[in-house]
Amino acid sequence: MKPSATITSSTATLDVVKAPNFVKVTAITIFSFSVITLLYLFPSSPFPSSISFSPSFSITSPQQIKNNASLVSPRPKKTRPPPPPTVGERTGIVDENGAMAEDFVIGEFDPSAMDEFRNLTGGREETSTKEDGKLTRVKYERFRVCEESTRDYIPCLDNVEEIKRLNWSGSLVIYERHCPEEGKGLDCLVPMPKGYKRSIPWPRSRDEVWFSNVPHTRLVEDKGGQNWIALKKDKFVFPGGGTQFIHGADQYLNQISEMVPEIAFGQHTRIALDIGCGVASFGAFLLQRNVTTLSIAPKDVHENQIQFALERGVPAMAAVFSTRRLLYPSQAFDLIHCSRCRIDWTSDDGILLLEVNRMLRAGGYFVWAAQPVYKHEENLQEQWKEMQDLTRRICWELVKKEGYIAIWRKPLNNSCYLSRYSGAQPPLCDSNDDPDSVWYVSLRPCITRLPENGYGANVTTWPVRLHYPPDRLQSIRMDATFSRKELFKAESKYWNEIIESYVRAFHWKHVNFRNVMDMRAGFGGFAAALHDLDVDCWVMNVVPVSEFNTLPVIYDRGLIGVMHDWCETFDTYPRTYDLLHAAGLFSAEQKRHKCKVSSIMLEMDRMLRPGGTVYIRDSISVMSELQEIATATRWVCTLRDTGEGPHASWKILTCDKRMP
């Protein structure tokens, strides 16, 4: 469509506004720059009789209109060309006043324009063979339901073929990630156990869960005498005990607080790690003290520990101390706890305790409750001496030993490390070692250096730290140099406004979201907004490996998170999250051209509890494919506009995984 019209300067704007939307925007832009050019070139005559912009579009005088309505005036001679117009990014259609207009006219559709748009945005579609010279889009059929044996399947931890190939029976390496090869991943919907019920809401779930949701009795048989767990009728109940605190987690936490008051649960200590967590009663009872504890354990012979923890509504994921770094940044945890976690900390020159040291915040505490602390048997006392020697060499201070508990404190700076004699073991890590690089990174047999500027050690107390831009914001690698604090505050404000509308419109305070995952967390603004708006949940903040590593900032805020590549499956059991939130994830992953959108959504379905919800906020370029896959996954979805209106470039897809 190429209009050719001549108008007077007094009526130019009115006629252009009446044109179709594409011409409307083009004409207004050209006219505006023309006026500026004329004023610059012809100050004594602001409205010359004619100036042509192209062979097919001209603005002419009234006399020329009478002589020839289709006249194209010759380009007037200029002493210098006009400055090129600045093209700004537009989102939506605007009227002559710069306001969003809804009554614009849709022009003819040019199919080639869509291909050009995909090239510009990095969007792509899964395609099949060529038909008549054109690529056709794959139509997603309904995904089949997997075999019954996969109901607790974690693909990267249950890869039996790869584990057999390792031939390392008895080694902890078999509990690390061994993901299926490309094309052999999950291609079906993991079934739920027979009799599955909607999870008991928090806080009741802390003390009881449905047997039918986690129908495994191995832990009851092995740990029933230690007050971990018991089976009563159709429910598992959790008395709150543990191997070293059979009289209850509350009493145990009181003892730790009395031993070292400076730990100050809920103020100085906000984020904790519980290693070998059992059913996570330690973390469950710390929640009422304003401490978020990430509970970890391998998927070993007591393989359902993490499943029980998540069914209770306690932060947890499968993880093992073996040959690789855990997926958390340096100086992440204010306190790290190990109660009979069955880890030999002094073996292999203490390499596993050095990994604890990497993750422990400067000035943070390591709590060890184990037999070598209090038993006087010769072999156990030898282990205690080895532990004392190792902790002394890595500059930890034994601040208290009482009964079966020993508590050490990590130094605040490098002064102790640097004062050791030459050749002391273990050595300091090289200065070029990145302690926050964790995705498939091998353990380092060295002491992680602390930042010379004190970053990480000087976080404020909870809850102030949630919204205080931490110092480590300045040290993470990202494009912004001077505007980081502004970006941090802007993200918090952005998500606070959005979540406030979600809480109001979708009644989030009444839908019993407990286990929440933000699949592309940024600085953690989504999780912070949920806390500010009193939504009673915890959030696993996931930072994709393809993006800037903001995990140190997330932990400094008093939140938890993990590094992950969404081309692989997450280390959690099926049916463990109530809400999955993905903002810009799919358009970002499509630009990588590495993994299929359908694979990510199948993984989301695996993690999502029946009755759970998915909120996807993303570009319109991916929405049609997401809707089609969601239908194939048997979700019930609704497409909504964002707050920017119906013509914005992003949409919101909300989906429910209905109970059968």
Side-chain angles (χ1 to χ4, degrees), residues 174-175 216 218-219 222-223 298-305 342 573:
I174 65 175
Y175 301 124
H216 302 284
R218 176 70 183 267
L219 275 176
D222 289 357
K223 303 294 182 180
K299 191 178 181 185
D300 58 7
V301 292
H302 299 128
E303 62 178 26
N304 300 98
Q305 297 175 81
R342 299 191 300 168
Y573 281 84

Side-chain angles (χ1 to χ4, degrees), residues 59 64 88 98 153 176 209 223 228 235 270 283 295 406 521 561 592:
I59 299 178
Q64 289 172 314
Y153 182 55
E176 291 184 326
V209 302
K223 303 294 182 180
W228 281 26
K235 294 176 182 175
R270 163 62 185 173
S295 300
R592 295 175 65 199

Side-chain angles (χ1 to χ4, degrees), residues 91-92 100 620 642-651:
T91 55
M100 184 71 76
I620 56 174
T642 63
E644 288 80 9
H647 311 306
S649 58
W650 281 39
K651 295 284 185 183

